[in-house]
């Protein structure tokens, strides 16, 4: 139904954290009376929530913003706002406005919750509104949210990062670790379950350091508390840091059946020399012994990871260490990246930057090894019946989809009534990462 309400459109780059922050941006816009547009052309305000973790994410965002020049020329009232990690980098906002002067509003990650007055300033006639706070402020509770990922709901538990891995820009654009109060988190989770959400994903750059700044509640305590909430739901969390992944946490995962049987534990590299240069604070042996401890306690726990190739000075031998670690662990999934030089980080100044061709070859080799693992693990599902939380519809395949408790995606025929339901699916065909099956009625 057409209404006279003004419309918004949001483009998000990067991780779950950004997707959730876009839900907050949408919440603020809805509270101001905007409604979602079907596409950019229909919108009165277009917001870009950007990412700067790798160069290609920045390039894509700049390209897509640049492409709006024509739209802006046609519609003088259109507001274009750019926020997120990219604009939070030192000196970047001015550079961006110089490059793309038709942008109306620039804001950062630290003042995302204050977007409303910035939009109002622009609506009241100010041509360019640029406000990027240098430092993180106090945690802002009760920002309205327009959620987009039912039956999953994202819940922030800790903001920022104190780890300063030498390749990573995140600590510079997200500030220091700040934990939300446990009661705020638990109340939010309780309301979400009451509203009908079936999966909660706790978010933080390093969820394992939750509560260190509070001194009262650890991440394991928090898991134990959230898992006590009545109702059938799944509990997930990301992302973890191997150095802080503790036995106390493993025990909390083991004792709470609502916690999904998958942990995302980014290893980054398998060579001790590279791990040290990355400032990761663990060795290959430490990592492997944490995996062993995890599997001794929860034998069927799936582990996924992030891995990087082409870090400065990485030799063929270092890379083979990574490859062997991947084979040894048997990850259920891996996000693989080519190291991307980020200005302002220590690694950007290191000698021995690796050429693109070598990095590309290494990542292809790595992907190949992981694909074989994925295929073999998928084969193990053939003929089995698994419980899936139906989370959406895939237009291209013409199938409904959802994940099992290990995070594996399955596709199946059905109807809209399955959305948000737990369904039993018998697997009839397996591919690389995904499974195909039929709903089994009980
Ligand atoms: N280049 C490539 N990958 C990176 N990551 C973080 N910084 C960089 C970078 N400069 C990867 C890490 C991290 C994931 C979220 O992104 O693997 O775990
Ligand atoms: Fe970046 Fe390391 Fe912090 Fe993760 S833990 S956000 S890789 S600095």
């Amino acid at each position: 139904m057409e209404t006279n309400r003004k419309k918004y459109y949001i483009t998000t780059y990067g991780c779950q954290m950004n997707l959730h922050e876009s839900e907050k941006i949408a919440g603020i816009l809805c509270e101001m009376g905007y409604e979602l547009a079907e596409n950019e052309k229909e919108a009165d305000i277009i917001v870009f929530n950007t990412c700067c973790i790798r160069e290609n994410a920045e390039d894509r965002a700049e390209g897509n913003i640049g492409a709006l020049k024509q739209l802006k020329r046609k519609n003088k009232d259109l507001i274009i706002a750019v926020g997120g990690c990219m604009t939070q980098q030192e000196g970047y906002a001015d550079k961006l406005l110089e490059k793309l002067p038709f942008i109306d509003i620039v804001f950062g990650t630290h003042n995302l919750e204050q977007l409303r007055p910035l939009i109002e300033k622009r609506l009241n006639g100010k041509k360019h509104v640029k406000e990027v706070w240098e430092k993180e402020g106090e945690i802002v509770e009760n920002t309205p949210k327009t959620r987009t990922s039912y039956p999953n709901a994202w819940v922030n538990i800790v903001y920022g990062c104190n780890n300063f891995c030498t390749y990573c820009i995140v600590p510079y654009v997200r500030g220091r670790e700040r934990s939300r109060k446990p009661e705020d988190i638990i109340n939010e989770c309780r309301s979400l379950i009451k509203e009908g959400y079936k999966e909660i994903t706790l978010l933080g750059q390093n969820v394992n350091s939750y509560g260190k700044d509070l001194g009262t509640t650890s991440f394991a305590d928090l898991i134990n508390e959230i898992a006590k909430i009545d109702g059938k739901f799944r509990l997930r969390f990301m992302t973890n840091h191997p150095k802080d992944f503790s036995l106390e946490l493993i025990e909390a995962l083991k004792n709470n059946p609502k916690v999904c049987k998958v942990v995302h534990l980014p290893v980054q590299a398998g060579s001790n020399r590279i791990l040290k240069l990355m400032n990761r604070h663990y060795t290959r042996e430490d990592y492997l012994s944490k995996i062993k401890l995890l599997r001794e306690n929860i034998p069927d726990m799936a582990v996924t990871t992030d891995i990087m190739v082409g870090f400065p000075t990485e030799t063929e031998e270092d890379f083979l260490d990574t490859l062997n670690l991947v084979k040894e662990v048997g990850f259920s999934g891996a996000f693989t990246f080519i190291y991307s030089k980020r200005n302002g980080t220590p690694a950007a100044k290191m000698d021995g930057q690796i050429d693109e061709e070598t990095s590309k070859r290494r990542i292809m080799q790595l992907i190949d090894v992981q694909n074989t693992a994925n295929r073999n693990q998928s084969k193990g599902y053939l003929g089995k019946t698994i419980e899936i939380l139906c989370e959406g519809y895939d237009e291209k395949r013409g199938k409904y989809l959802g994940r099992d408790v290990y995070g594996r995606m399955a596709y199946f025929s059905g109807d809209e009534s399955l959305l948000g339901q737990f369904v039993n699916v018998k697997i009839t065909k397996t591919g690389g990462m995904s499974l195909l099956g039929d709903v089994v009625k009980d």
Side-chain angles (χ1 to χ4, degrees), residues 15 53-54 167-170 239 264 266 268 280 306-308 335 337-342 345:
C15 57
I53 201 150
R54 281 171 291 274
Y167 50 80
C168 188
I169 193 83
V170 168
T239 189
H264 187 66
Q268 311 298 358
R280 291 289 289 176
D306 292 345
I307 310 169
M308 202 183 296
F335 295 105
F337 307 106
I338 290 180
Y339 162 76
S340 169
K341 187 172 170 175
R342 304 285 65 207
T345 62

Side-chain angles (χ1 to χ4, degrees), residues 161-398:
C161 181
N162 289 356
N163 289 317
F164 291 94
C165 301
T166 53
Y167 50 80
C168 188
I169 193 83
V170 168
Y172 305 90
V173 294
R174 290 275 176 186
R176 299 292 66 73
E177 282 170 2
R178 286 103 61 209
S179 300
R180 281 180 76 195
K181 288 198 195 108
E183 56 271 28
D184 289 334
I185 298 169
I186 292 160
N187 286 340
E188 183 175 352
C189 293
R190 203 169 278 135
S191 317
L192 288 165
I193 300 303
K194 224 187 228 164
E195 282 170 46
Y197 286 89
K198 301 289 168 50
E199 180 179 88
I200 286 181
T201 307
L202 306 176
L203 293 178
Q205 243 74 45
N206 174 10
V207 289
N208 309 138
S209 37
Y210 173 79
K212 286 189 182 161
D213 51 337
L214 302 173
T216 49
T217 313
S218 68
F219 182 52
D221 296 334
L222 189 69
I223 294 264
N224 287 327
E225 284 307 308
I226 298 173
K228 277 187 206 150
I229 300 173
D230 283 340
K232 178 163 180 169
F233 67 94
R234 289 180 179 173
L235 186 56
R236 295 177 186 274
F237 50 94
M238 68 187 318
T239 189
N240 299 277
H241 195 302
K243 80 174 162 58
D244 301 316
F245 196 77
S246 64
L247 180 60
E248 186 204 8
L249 175 60
I250 293 175
E251 274 162 0
L253 307 183
K254 183 176 168 180
N255 296 335
N256 290 298
K258 282 176 183 162
V259 178
C260 280
K261 299 248 176 175
V262 54
V263 169
H264 187 66
L265 202 58
V267 66
Q268 311 298 358
S271 143
N272 283 337
R273 195 182 67 82
I274 295 291
L275 286 169
K276 190 150 205 283
L277 281 177
M278 286 177 164
N279 194 32
R280 291 289 289 176
H281 295 285
Y282 56 84
T283 61
R284 168 196 184 91
E285 292 74 26
D286 296 334
Y287 186 88
L288 290 172
S289 67
K290 293 241 166 138
I291 298 279
K292 190 160 166 261
L293 189 66
L294 180 63
R295 287 181 171 158
E296 273 165 10
N297 281 278
I298 316 170
D300 60 338
M301 190 63 129
V303 182
T304 57
T305 199
D306 292 345
I307 310 169
M308 202 183 296
V309 300
F311 186 82
T313 77
E314 185 187 66
T315 62
E316 211 51 33
E317 203 185 330
D318 294 320
F319 171 63
L320 287 179
D321 282 346
T322 299
L323 220 49
N324 287 334
L325 181 134
V326 170
K327 287 181 190 158
E328 190 170 338
V329 174
F331 292 110
S332 300
F335 295 105
T336 52
F337 307 106
I338 290 180
Y339 162 76
S340 169
K341 187 172 170 175
R342 304 285 65 207
N343 284 336
T345 62
K349 293 189 215 94
M350 287 181 189
D351 291 334
Q353 302 283 326
I354 304 297
D355 64 273
E356 204 180 312
E357 199 186 323
T358 306
S359 293
K360 278 194 177 151
R361 177 181 49 77
R362 287 181 184 161
I363 201 167
M364 292 316 292
Q365 249 177 294
L366 178 62
I367 290 172
D368 206 42
V369 167
Q370 185 53 38
N371 279 349
T372 306
N374 291 342
R375 263 197 309 276
N376 288 339
Q377 287 172 14
S378 289
K379 269 190 214 149
Y381 275 92
L382 207 58
K384 286 197 178 142
T385 298
I386 52 177
E387 190 183 57
I388 296 288
L389 173 56
C390 179
E391 60 188 62
Y393 180 72
D394 184 319
E395 297 275 349
K396 260 199 229 144
R397 297 185 194 227

Side-chain angles (χ1 to χ4, degrees), residues 121-135:
K121 266 192 208 164
R122 176 66 188 87
L123 290 170
N124 290 333
K126 193 163 186 308
K127 196 153 179 266
H128 291 294
V129 183
K130 184 196 82 179
E131 196 167 318
V132 180
W133 290 359
E134 243 173 66
K135 271 202 150 328

